[in-house]
Structure formats: structure tokens, C-alpha cells
Amino acid sequence: MKRLTTMWTLALLVATSGVACGQGGPRPSDLGASKLDLGEPGIAWYTTWESAQAEAKRSGRPIMFVAAATQCHGVSGVF
Amino acid sequence: MRIDSYETAEHQKYVRTFLDGRFENSAFCLLAPNGQDWLTRAGRGPEMVLGHRSSVIQMKTVAAKYPDRKNGRLALVQDFHSVRQALNVASADQRVLVIVSGPKEQTDELRISLKSVTNDECIVGRFHFDFDETEDWHKQIKNVKAGPSIVVVRPGEFGMDGTVMNQLPLAAESSEIIKTLLVANSEFAKTTKKKVYSSHVSKGTRLGIYFDSVVPYGEDRDGDGKIDRRGGPPRGGRSGAPSGRRPTQ
């Protein structure tokens, strides 16, 4: 449980630090840096619907669904 | 789970499901383990749904109702729809990417045997993992050798390319894989500059970086089923990555 809540906490940090700039999202100039140091553990994301749903059913754990864009104005390498 | 809103038409369909028929860049919702029942309302992000101050508390409350009933060390191994997308996400998160490449029967075995690696406390949350049965993506990765293998990749700055940090046989022992990954992670962290995303976007724009999405950029905020305003490369041209994506499912 501790691991799960830690992961969700990290999820919030990530989700609020810079996702999906665009029409309704943050402006590019508002995007900062990740709060995590490089090499340190973050969220172990599932990146397809199918795999996430399969793991949720296996583990009995709830799903935090996040959809976001991996680009900002077409520039990739951004979440 | 975190999916890319522009990766597939299927993903956009999910977003529309959560946003009452609208399509917007981002969406957030907590779901029951069956993937069907909503535990919260949906919105563009956690703060919109759960509130700025209480979102962590509320998520802890929800999590407490679903204690982990299965061994976390057996959690399924992550996968992406394509190496192209995996590179982009690994670049965005600034993590080393591990590509398991080989024939389906071999990669299917690795999906099982690698659980002891990916769920190891030293590994979980530090890498991204992808499985691929083709070698179409080799043109995006420098120094990759042909043949089935576990390829440890440093993602490029804009996630359009990468460089091999190490390459192991599919039959490598778990302990050897873990050791190799930890060395790669340490090297990556020491030799990579942390991104400031605003500067990253500015630099990418200056360099003409443009990531071609599978579905057109833009939002449908009135929910009429059509993108309100399409994004696209500016006049004069911006080039995208060579396509290594699989057909959408």
C-alpha cells in the first residue's frame, strides 16, 4: 500500500508539473522540470490500455487513468 | 496507466469517453480494477477532478479500499504500441529504454521471465520497457546489432532516435540484466542534463523538430466529433522522425 500511495503521489507531481500543453493546457513557457532527479524511481507506468487493465484485474488495484500528449506544439520528448 | 492522447484513434476514443464526448489533450479519472467503473468524475487533470489541496489525500483514500491482493513482484511487464512511441516517452521522462526484440514466441517468454527483473526494487520506476518483433526501428537506434536481444537504449533529446548503451542476449540471466540496467541508469543519470521543458520546447521549435502524430493534433472542445483547430508543422517545413510505428490496433 505504501508503494501504491507513493506512486500516486508521484503521479500527481508529474501530472501537475507539465502535461499536454496546447489549446487548453499550460503554455510552453509554463513548463518546468521534473521534480525527480535523473535515475531516481518514478511511476512504473503502463502505457497501453490493454496492459494496464490486465494488471489491474490481476492485482485488484484501482487504475489512475491519465491521457496526455508526448509533445508540445509538435516538439517531442515532453510530457 | 498513462497513454498518449495522439498515439492512436483508440486512445482518442477513450479520452472522449471520459470527457463527455469532447477530445482534449489530457484526461484524468480513477477507475475500479475492472477498468469500467469510475471511482471519481473525470476531467483534464487530477487537480480539476480532486482539487488542488486534497488530491493526494483523496487518492490515498481510494487506494485504501483496494489493498494489493497479489504479489507485486508478479506485476505484468510494461509495453508500448511502438518503439517510436517508447523512445519519445523515455526521452520525455528521461529514463533509459529497454527494448526486448525477437520472434513472438521468444518475446512472449520474456514477458513472463522478465517480471523478476522489472519488479525488482532497484529497477521498478527507473526504466521504460518495450517489446517488438520487428527490426524496423533499428534505423532510429545507433550501434544496434541485428538479431534477437535485449537492447538498452539511451533515448535522444527529442525522442526521435537513441543510442545503444548495452545489448544482451535474450537468454541472459536476471541477475546479469539487473546489473547491466543499473550500470546504464547510473551512467545515464551522470551524463544527461535534466530537461527544463520550456527550454526544451523552445529549442525544439528553433531546430524544426516536429513529431508526426498518428492522429491529427488539436482538440474537439465542443464535442462535435471534429477537431476544432488542427496543429501542424509551420510553413517552411519541420521534419519528423522516420516512422517505426506498428499498425494501430
Side-chain angles (χ1 to χ4, degrees):
Chain A
M1 182 56 65
K2 183 180 178 184
R3 180 179 171 194
L4 175 65
T5 51
T6 301
M7 288 167 64
W8 277 17
T9 303
L10 289 167
L12 285 171
L13 290 173
V14 172
T16 54
S17 65
V19 295
C21 68
Q23 291 175 336
R27 296 173 180 171
S29 57
D30 294 335
L31 299 177
S34 169
K35 293 177 174 64
L36 287 175
D37 289 331
L38 293 183
E40 292 301 306
I43 300 169
W45 292 105
Y46 285 96
T47 36
T48 67
W49 177 275
E50 297 79 11
S51 60
Q53 194 166 23
E55 174 56 21
K57 286 180 178 175
R58 186 202 71 83
S59 65
R61 292 159 72 186
I63 296 170
M64 181 181 70
F65 172 85
V66 176
T70 46
Q71 50 75 33
C72 183
H73 295 299
V75 176
S76 47
V78 181
F79 240 134
Chain B
M1 86 172 80
R2 185 181 62 183
I3 60 174
D4 186 334
S5 310
Y6 295 95
E7 188 177 353
T8 69
E10 193 76 7
H11 285 184
Q12 293 208 340
K13 192 174 76 176
Y14 294 137
V15 172
R16 287 183 185 276
T17 300
F18 287 110
L19 299 182
D20 200 24
R22 305 185 314 279
F23 175 74
E24 299 181 4
N25 278 340
S26 60
F28 173 89
C29 187
L30 298 184
L31 302 169
N34 63 13
Q36 302 297 318
D37 299 330
W38 295 21
L39 302 177
T40 63
R41 66 185 180 86
R44 291 199 61 150
E47 292 183 351
M48 179 182 288
V49 174
L50 303 173
H52 183 70
R53 292 184 177 178
S54 64
S55 51
V56 173
I57 294 171
Q58 291 190 54
M59 291 175 81
K60 286 182 176 178
T61 302
V62 170
K65 295 176 182 173
Y66 296 91
D68 191 1
R69 69 185 185 205
K70 297 281 177 64
N71 188 342
R73 294 186 71 84
L74 297 177
L76 302 178
V77 183
Q78 176 196 14
D79 192 14
F80 286 86
H81 286 112
S82 68
V83 172
R84 178 179 183 268
Q85 183 63 11
L87 265 176
N88 189 6
V89 171
S91 171
D93 287 342
Q94 296 202 278
R95 294 186 195 176
V96 172
L97 173 64
V98 183
I99 303 170
V100 181
S101 174
K104 185 176 187 307
E105 57 270 24
Q106 286 183 280
T107 54
D108 280 351
E109 288 178 13
L110 267 291
R111 287 178 196 272
I112 306 299
S113 63
L114 270 184
K115 288 179 186 176
S116 63
V117 172
T118 59
N119 293 307
D120 187 281
E121 285 187 2
C122 296
I123 300 297
V124 67
R126 286 186 162 92
F127 302 85
H128 282 294
F129 293 87
D130 186 31
F131 293 83
D132 202 282
E133 297 160 23
T134 76
E135 294 189 346
D136 298 344
W137 48 275
H138 280 201
K139 57 183 175 293
Q140 289 179 263
I141 310 291
K142 294 175 190 168
N143 303 328
V144 65
K145 298 170 189 167
S149 57
I150 299 169
V151 189
V152 184
V153 176
R154 173 194 291 274
E157 184 176 6
F158 293 98
M160 292 182 164
D161 54 20
T163 306
V164 173
M165 302 181 79
N166 212 324
Q167 195 163 353
L168 298 170
L170 292 181
E173 295 287 336
S174 295
S175 58
E176 183 187 2
I177 300 172
I178 289 173
K179 184 179 175 184
T180 300
L181 294 188
L182 292 179
V183 169
N185 184 55
S186 178
E187 182 186 333
F188 179 80
K190 285 177 186 171
T191 57
T192 304
K193 186 179 178 184
K194 190 173 179 179
K195 285 183 184 178
V196 175
Y197 293 107
S198 55
S199 304
H200 176 82
V201 174
S202 298
K203 183 178 179 182
T205 302
R206 283 198 310 274
L207 294 174
I209 299 296
Y210 191 83
F211 189 80
D212 284 317
S213 62
V214 173
V215 289
Y217 293 135
E219 297 185 321
D220 171 20
R221 303 185 78 183
D222 56 10
D224 66 357
K226 299 175 183 174
I227 296 300
D228 301 330
R229 188 179 67 188
R230 290 190 174 187
R235 292 176 186 175
R238 290 161 70 181
S239 58
S243 177
R245 60 189 177 231
R246 300 171 193 155
T248 54
Q249 296 174 345

